[in-house]
């Protein structure tokens, strides 16, 4: 954002799946540039924003090909969202929107090959057959999720937590530079930047 502000004097940011609270990480910078920054937050559920001079919230899907039709943003940001949008075909729709809507972008997702699955908080969970993962969640509390008494609810949760590899991320966003967030010697998260 800083380089965009230097070059253009202002910066419009589209955050796919983000919240106002997330941006507290840079609150000093954001408040110091409040007259030059504007954030649009897109979520499938409605959210309220407090700092309406900085943030606008829109209810919508980041996979909708008609999302924000005719609009363009200086920067598209998405942190740990692409793995929740559904099948790989849905991820392609998400990626197409990222590329269409932003001059520059930053898309982060947990790495499939990092051994600890961050949502279910279970080592190697993502490597197990889908049916076994569903059955485990149907019988056990795992990570952020209570035991799912309904098998279909467990299936929905498992199917909406699909970690990506770096190769898959590159396939989704071929014009991106792929970087990694490290934990010890492991690539914990994948970051696609343009």
């Amino acid at each position: 954002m800083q380089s965009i502000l230097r070059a253009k004097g202002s910066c419009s940011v589209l955050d796919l799946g983000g919240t106002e609270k997330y941006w507290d990480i840079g609150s000093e910078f954001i408040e110091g540039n409040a007259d030059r920054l504007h954030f649009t937050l897109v979520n499938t559920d409605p959210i309220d924003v407090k700092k309406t001079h900085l943030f606008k919230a829109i209810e919508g899907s980041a996979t909708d090909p008609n999302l924000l039709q005719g609009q363009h943003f200086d920067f598209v940001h998405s942190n740990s969202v692409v793995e929740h949008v559904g099948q790989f075909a849905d991820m392609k729709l998400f990626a197409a929107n990222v590329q269409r809507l932003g001059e520059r972008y930053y898309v982060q997702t947990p790495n499939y090959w990092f051994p600890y699955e961050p949502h279910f908080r279970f080592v190697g969970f993502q490597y197990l057959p889908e049916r076994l993962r569903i059955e485990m969640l149907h019988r056990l509390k795992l990570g952020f999720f209570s035991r799912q008494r309904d098998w279909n609810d467990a299936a929905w949760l498992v199917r909406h937590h699909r970690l990506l590899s770096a190769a898959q991320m590159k396939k989704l966003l071929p014009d991106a530079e792929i970087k990694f967030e490290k934990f010890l010697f492991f690539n914990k998260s994948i970051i696609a930047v343009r």
Side-chain angles (χ1 to χ4, degrees):
M1 281 190 284
Q2 290 177 339
S3 61
I4 296 169
L5 285 175
R6 279 193 300 273
K8 296 184 69 177
S10 65
C11 181
S12 58
V13 179
L14 174 63
D15 187 343
L16 297 174
T19 63
E20 180 179 9
K21 178 132 185 76
Y22 168 82
W23 291 98
D24 285 349
I25 57 173
S27 60
E28 189 175 313
F29 171 79
I30 290 169
E31 286 298 336
N33 291 282
D35 59 329
R36 305 187 309 148
L37 290 169
H38 185 266
F39 295 83
T40 300
L41 311 172
V42 174
N43 285 279
T44 53
D45 296 320
I47 59 170
D48 292 322
V49 294
K50 293 178 183 162
K51 298 176 183 173
T52 55
H53 65 290
L54 279 168
F55 295 93
K56 175 172 82 170
I58 295 173
E59 187 177 347
S61 171
T63 62
D64 178 359
N66 298 312
L67 179 69
L68 300 166
Q69 200 65 41
Q71 295 186 48
H72 197 74
F73 296 83
D74 297 313
F75 187 66
V76 175
H77 180 91
S78 183
N79 189 63
S80 295
V81 174
V82 67
E83 73 271 18
H84 299 291
V85 300
Q87 304 290 327
F88 198 72
D90 301 305
M91 294 177 184
K92 285 182 180 178
L93 294 171
F94 174 94
N97 278 340
V98 168
Q99 294 171 303
R100 173 179 62 84
L101 292 167
E103 180 72 26
R104 298 182 190 185
Y105 62 74
Y106 171 101
V107 177
Q108 183 271 4
T109 189
N111 183 8
Y112 175 83
W113 294 111
F114 184 70
Y116 183 72
E117 206 292 340
H119 306 98
F120 298 97
R121 296 185 175 186
F122 191 94
V123 174
F125 186 76
Q126 66 272 34
Y127 310 134
L128 299 173
E130 182 180 271
R131 182 155 181 84
L132 178 56
R133 287 181 280 149
I134 294 168
E135 202 57 50
M136 287 174 68
L137 190 57
H138 183 53
R139 296 172 184 267
L140 304 168
K141 177 189 182 317
L142 292 172
F144 295 110
F145 308 104
S146 60
R147 176 180 172 244
Q148 301 297 302
R149 298 192 184 279
D150 184 292
W151 196 91
N152 291 322
D153 291 343
W156 188 92
L157 282 169
V158 166
R159 291 175 181 148
H160 280 81
H161 292 82
R162 295 182 183 275
L163 300 186
L164 294 162
S165 68
Q168 289 172 313
M169 189 73 128
K170 189 64 177 172
K171 188 172 184 179
L172 289 172
L173 297 163
D175 62 345
E177 178 184 353
I178 302 296
K179 299 180 178 191
F180 298 97
E181 177 187 352
K182 300 274 192 184
F183 178 78
L184 301 175
F185 301 105
F186 296 97
N187 292 328
K188 180 176 175 282
S189 299
I190 305 162
I191 303 164
V193 180
R194 176 178 78 185

